[in-house]
Short mmCIF file of all heavy atoms in Angstrom, two decimals:
data_model
loop_
_atom_site.label_atom_id
_atom_site.label_comp_id
_atom_site.label_asym_id
_atom_site.label_seq_id
_atom_site.Cartn_x
_atom_site.Cartn_y
_atom_site.Cartn_z
N ALA A 236 -7.49 4.22 14.90
CA ALA A 236 -6.86 3.02 14.33
C ALA A 236 -6.50 2.01 15.40
O ALA A 236 -6.37 0.81 15.10
CB ALA A 236 -5.61 3.41 13.55
N ALA A 237 -6.34 2.48 16.66
CA ALA A 237 -5.88 1.59 17.74
C ALA A 237 -7.02 0.98 18.55
O ALA A 237 -6.76 0.32 19.56
CB ALA A 237 -4.96 2.38 18.68
N ARG A 238 -8.25 1.21 18.15
CA ARG A 238 -9.37 0.62 18.88
C ARG A 238 -9.23 -0.90 18.93
O ARG A 238 -8.97 -1.54 17.91
CB ARG A 238 -10.71 0.99 18.23
CG ARG A 238 -11.06 2.47 18.31
CD ARG A 238 -11.26 2.93 19.73
NE ARG A 238 -11.70 4.32 19.81
CZ ARG A 238 -11.80 5.02 20.92
NH1 ARG A 238 -11.45 4.45 22.08
NH2 ARG A 238 -12.23 6.26 20.92
N GLY A 239 -9.35 -1.45 20.11
CA GLY A 239 -9.17 -2.89 20.29
C GLY A 239 -7.77 -3.27 20.75
O GLY A 239 -7.51 -4.44 20.99
N VAL A 240 -6.88 -2.27 20.86
CA VAL A 240 -5.54 -2.50 21.42
C VAL A 240 -5.51 -1.73 22.73
O VAL A 240 -5.17 -0.54 22.75
CB VAL A 240 -4.42 -2.02 20.47
CG1 VAL A 240 -3.05 -2.45 20.99
CG2 VAL A 240 -4.65 -2.56 19.06
N PRO A 241 -5.88 -2.35 23.86
CA PRO A 241 -6.22 -1.62 25.09
C PRO A 241 -5.16 -0.63 25.58
O PRO A 241 -5.48 0.51 25.89
CB PRO A 241 -6.46 -2.73 26.12
CG PRO A 241 -6.85 -3.92 25.31
CD PRO A 241 -6.08 -3.80 24.04
N ARG A 242 -3.91 -1.04 25.65
CA ARG A 242 -2.90 -0.13 26.20
C ARG A 242 -2.64 1.05 25.27
O ARG A 242 -2.40 2.17 25.74
CB ARG A 242 -1.60 -0.88 26.47
CG ARG A 242 -1.69 -1.80 27.68
CD ARG A 242 -0.33 -2.32 28.09
NE ARG A 242 -0.43 -3.11 29.31
CZ ARG A 242 0.60 -3.67 29.93
NH1 ARG A 242 1.82 -3.51 29.44
NH2 ARG A 242 0.43 -4.37 31.04
N VAL A 243 -2.70 0.81 23.98
CA VAL A 243 -2.50 1.92 23.04
C VAL A 243 -3.68 2.89 23.12
O VAL A 243 -3.49 4.11 23.12
CB VAL A 243 -2.32 1.39 21.60
CG1 VAL A 243 -2.10 2.54 20.63
CG2 VAL A 243 -1.15 0.42 21.54
N GLU A 244 -4.89 2.36 23.20
CA GLU A 244 -6.07 3.22 23.40
C GLU A 244 -5.91 4.07 24.65
O GLU A 244 -6.16 5.29 24.62
CB GLU A 244 -7.33 2.35 23.55
CG GLU A 244 -7.91 1.84 22.27
CD GLU A 244 -9.28 1.21 22.51
OE1 GLU A 244 -10.21 1.95 22.86
OE2 GLU A 244 -9.42 -0.02 22.37
N ALA A 245 -5.49 3.46 25.74
CA ALA A 245 -5.35 4.18 27.00
C ALA A 245 -4.31 5.29 26.88
O ALA A 245 -4.52 6.41 27.35
CB ALA A 245 -4.97 3.20 28.12
N LEU A 246 -3.17 4.97 26.24
CA LEU A 246 -2.12 5.98 26.07
C LEU A 246 -2.59 7.14 25.21
O LEU A 246 -2.30 8.30 25.49
CB LEU A 246 -0.88 5.35 25.44
CG LEU A 246 0.06 4.60 26.37
CD1 LEU A 246 1.19 3.97 25.55
CD2 LEU A 246 0.65 5.53 27.42
N MET A 247 -3.30 6.83 24.13
CA MET A 247 -3.78 7.90 23.25
C MET A 247 -4.80 8.78 23.96
O MET A 247 -4.77 10.01 23.85
CB MET A 247 -4.38 7.31 21.98
CG MET A 247 -3.37 6.65 21.05
SD MET A 247 -2.06 7.77 20.47
CE MET A 247 -0.70 7.26 21.51
N LEU A 248 -5.71 8.18 24.72
CA LEU A 248 -6.68 8.96 25.49
C LEU A 248 -5.97 9.87 26.48
O LEU A 248 -6.32 11.04 26.65
CB LEU A 248 -7.64 8.02 26.22
CG LEU A 248 -8.71 7.34 25.38
CD1 LEU A 248 -9.37 6.20 26.17
CD2 LEU A 248 -9.77 8.35 24.93
N GLN A 249 -4.96 9.32 27.15
CA GLN A 249 -4.22 10.11 28.13
C GLN A 249 -3.49 11.27 27.45
O GLN A 249 -3.49 12.40 27.94
CB GLN A 249 -3.21 9.23 28.86
CG GLN A 249 -2.40 9.98 29.91
CD GLN A 249 -1.31 9.12 30.51
OE1 GLN A 249 -1.35 7.91 30.40
NE2 GLN A 249 -0.34 9.75 31.15
N SER A 250 -2.85 11.00 26.33
CA SER A 250 -2.09 12.05 25.66
C SER A 250 -3.01 13.13 25.09
O SER A 250 -2.65 14.31 25.09
CB SER A 250 -1.23 11.45 24.54
OG SER A 250 -2.04 10.96 23.48
N ILE A 251 -4.18 12.75 24.62
CA ILE A 251 -5.14 13.74 24.13
C ILE A 251 -5.60 14.62 25.29
O ILE A 251 -5.69 15.85 25.16
CB ILE A 251 -6.34 13.03 23.46
CG1 ILE A 251 -5.89 12.39 22.14
CG2 ILE A 251 -7.48 14.02 23.20
CD1 ILE A 251 -6.91 11.47 21.52
N GLY A 252 -5.86 13.99 26.43
CA GLY A 252 -6.26 14.76 27.60
C GLY A 252 -5.18 15.73 28.04
O GLY A 252 -5.44 16.90 28.35
N ALA A 253 -3.92 15.26 28.06
CA ALA A 253 -2.81 16.13 28.48
C ALA A 253 -2.66 17.31 27.53
O ALA A 253 -2.40 18.44 27.97
CB ALA A 253 -1.52 15.32 28.53
N ALA A 254 -2.83 17.08 26.24
CA ALA A 254 -2.73 18.18 25.27
C ALA A 254 -3.88 19.17 25.45
O ALA A 254 -3.68 20.39 25.37
CB ALA A 254 -2.73 17.62 23.86
N CYS A 255 -5.07 18.65 25.70
CA CYS A 255 -6.24 19.53 25.86
C CYS A 255 -6.10 20.46 27.07
O CYS A 255 -6.57 21.60 27.03
CB CYS A 255 -7.52 18.69 25.99
SG CYS A 255 -8.09 17.96 24.45
N VAL A 256 -5.46 19.99 28.13
CA VAL A 256 -5.25 20.85 29.31
C VAL A 256 -4.54 22.12 28.89
O VAL A 256 -4.95 23.24 29.23
CB VAL A 256 -4.42 20.12 30.39
CG1 VAL A 256 -4.06 21.09 31.51
CG2 VAL A 256 -5.19 18.95 30.97
N HIS A 257 -3.46 21.98 28.15
CA HIS A 257 -2.62 23.12 27.80
C HIS A 257 -3.20 23.94 26.66
O HIS A 257 -2.72 25.04 26.39
CB HIS A 257 -1.22 22.64 27.45
CG HIS A 257 -0.50 22.04 28.63
ND1 HIS A 257 0.07 22.80 29.62
CD2 HIS A 257 -0.29 20.75 28.98
CE1 HIS A 257 0.62 22.02 30.52
NE2 HIS A 257 0.42 20.77 30.16
N LEU A 258 -4.23 23.42 26.00
CA LEU A 258 -4.91 24.18 24.95
C LEU A 258 -6.15 24.89 25.49
O LEU A 258 -6.92 25.46 24.71
CB LEU A 258 -5.27 23.25 23.79
CG LEU A 258 -4.09 22.69 23.00
CD1 LEU A 258 -4.55 21.62 22.03
CD2 LEU A 258 -3.35 23.80 22.28
N GLY A 259 -6.34 24.84 26.80
CA GLY A 259 -7.47 25.52 27.41
C GLY A 259 -8.78 24.75 27.33
O GLY A 259 -9.83 25.26 27.73
N ARG A 260 -8.75 23.52 26.83
CA ARG A 260 -9.97 22.70 26.70
C ARG A 260 -10.05 21.77 27.90
O ARG A 260 -9.91 20.57 27.81
CB ARG A 260 -9.92 21.94 25.37
CG ARG A 260 -9.96 22.87 24.18
CD ARG A 260 -9.29 22.33 22.92
NE ARG A 260 -9.82 21.07 22.45
CZ ARG A 260 -9.47 20.49 21.31
NH1 ARG A 260 -8.59 21.09 20.53
NH2 ARG A 260 -9.98 19.33 20.95
N ARG A 261 -10.30 22.36 29.07
CA ARG A 261 -10.09 21.66 30.34
C ARG A 261 -11.15 20.60 30.63
O ARG A 261 -10.83 19.52 31.12
CB ARG A 261 -9.98 22.69 31.46
CG ARG A 261 -8.75 23.57 31.27
CD ARG A 261 -8.55 24.56 32.38
NE ARG A 261 -7.33 25.30 32.11
CZ ARG A 261 -7.26 26.42 31.40
NH1 ARG A 261 -8.37 26.94 30.91
NH2 ARG A 261 -6.12 27.02 31.18
N GLN A 262 -12.40 20.91 30.38
CA GLN A 262 -13.44 19.90 30.64
C GLN A 262 -13.27 18.71 29.70
O GLN A 262 -13.47 17.56 30.09
CB GLN A 262 -14.83 20.54 30.49
CG GLN A 262 -15.12 21.62 31.52
CD GLN A 262 -14.94 21.14 32.94
OE1 GLN A 262 -15.29 20.01 33.30
NE2 GLN A 262 -14.36 22.00 33.79
N GLU A 263 -12.92 19.00 28.45
CA GLU A 263 -12.62 17.92 27.49
C GLU A 263 -11.44 17.09 27.98
O GLU A 263 -11.43 15.86 27.87
CB GLU A 263 -12.33 18.53 26.13
CG GLU A 263 -12.09 17.53 25.03
CD GLU A 263 -11.80 18.17 23.69
OE1 GLU A 263 -11.97 19.41 23.57
OE2 GLU A 263 -11.37 17.44 22.77
N ALA A 264 -10.44 17.78 28.54
CA ALA A 264 -9.26 17.09 29.08
C ALA A 264 -9.67 16.14 30.20
O ALA A 264 -9.22 14.99 30.25
CB ALA A 264 -8.25 18.11 29.60
N VAL A 265 -10.50 16.61 31.11
CA VAL A 265 -10.94 15.77 32.23
C VAL A 265 -11.67 14.53 31.71
O VAL A 265 -11.43 13.41 32.18
CB VAL A 265 -11.83 16.57 33.20
CG1 VAL A 265 -12.47 15.65 34.23
CG2 VAL A 265 -11.01 17.67 33.89
#
Side-chain angles (χ1 to χ4, degrees):
R238 293 296 185 188
V240 187
R242 287 191 176 182
V243 181
E244 280 190 67
L246 278 177
M247 291 301 103
L248 285 167
Q249 180 186 343
S250 68
I251 291 170
C255 285
V256 172
H257 294 282
L258 293 171
R260 295 153 57 174
R261 295 183 178 90
Q262 296 305 321
E263 184 180 349
V265 171

